[in-house]
Amino acid sequence: LARVMNTMAEQLQDRISVIVQQHSQQDAVLSSMIEGVLAFDTEERLININQSASELLKINAAATIGKSIQEVVRNVGLQRFVEQALTSEHPIEGYISLIDGEERFLQAHGSTLKDGSGMIIGVLVVLNDVTELRNLENVRRDFVANVSHELKTPITSIKGFVETLLDGAMNDRDDAERFLGIVSKQADRLNAIIEDLLSLSRIE
């Protein structure tokens, strides 16, 4: 009986060691992720959170475990996202806006957590801070609008003077030379804009 008890104790210790090791590895993986990771149970109570999510949402991980999402995060967008992820049959994606001194944009991925029997036990939410990407997209959009305007101006000018020349102005040598000079300058302007665009493309 003593030998059996000792054997069982050793096996139990081995299993505990394996569980502790797996838990440590899981914590190491979550801690090293730059994405924010949160896990909620079916009652929308926080059951796990990594360091990135704590910093992103500015919350104390140790003090928020076991609390509802309404207590943890004062953000209606994230609250609704968790609710939708719990009721959705498929993984969902969305964007969440955070305003805390400055506005930040988060890309959210949500999927349900299931146990070995396939029963839903919660939801996993992964957050990516895409604020910088969103700002770059805005800059790119403004840049395209500005370039379009810059290109349109010389093209309109060239077209207008060419039409004037075709309407008879080229019969007047002085006017023709003056108009062609303007067309040449506008063509140079177009060329300079295109060279700038090619330089930007090479830099990018």
Side-chain angles (χ1 to χ4, degrees), residues 99-119:
I99 300 177
D100 184 18
E102 59 179 357
E103 188 172 19
R104 289 177 296 160
F105 295 95
L106 306 180
Q107 185 182 37
H109 300 264
S111 58
T112 53
L113 293 171
K114 298 180 181 180
D115 60 15
S117 63
M119 181 177 291

Side-chain angles (χ1 to χ4, degrees), residues 57-178:
L57 301 174
K58 292 182 170 54
I59 58 179
N60 186 337
T64 52
I65 296 296
K67 293 185 178 180
S68 68
I69 187 173
Q70 289 78 13
E71 297 176 274
V72 174
V73 182
R74 309 277 184 185
N75 184 283
V76 177
L78 183 55
Q79 293 171 6
R80 288 177 179 169
F81 184 83
V82 171
E83 183 180 350
Q84 291 172 3
L86 272 170
T87 56
S88 175
E89 295 181 357
H90 306 285
I92 65 171
E93 294 185 8
Y95 289 91
I96 297 166
S97 175
L98 287 181
I99 300 177
D100 184 18
E102 59 179 357
E103 188 172 19
R104 289 177 296 160
F105 295 95
L106 306 180
Q107 185 182 37
H109 300 264
S111 58
T112 53
L113 293 171
K114 298 180 181 180
D115 60 15
S117 63
M119 181 177 291
I120 295 175
I121 59 172
V123 63
L124 184 72
V125 177
V126 179
L127 302 174
N128 291 287
D129 190 341
V130 294
T131 305
E132 185 176 354
L133 181 61
R134 178 69 68 91
N135 291 338
L136 288 174
E137 288 175 351
N138 290 337
V139 169
R140 183 185 292 274
R141 185 168 57 250
D142 292 342
F143 174 75
V144 170
N146 290 334
V147 168
S148 299
H149 177 73
E150 288 294 323
L151 288 172
K152 190 174 181 180
T153 301
I155 289 174
T156 302
S157 179
I158 290 171
K159 185 177 180 182
F161 282 110
V162 168
E163 289 176 351
T164 302
L165 286 168
L166 291 174
D167 285 342
M170 60 181 176
N171 295 326
D172 186 322
R173 184 175 179 81
D174 291 337
D175 284 344
E177 288 183 354
R178 182 164 61 87

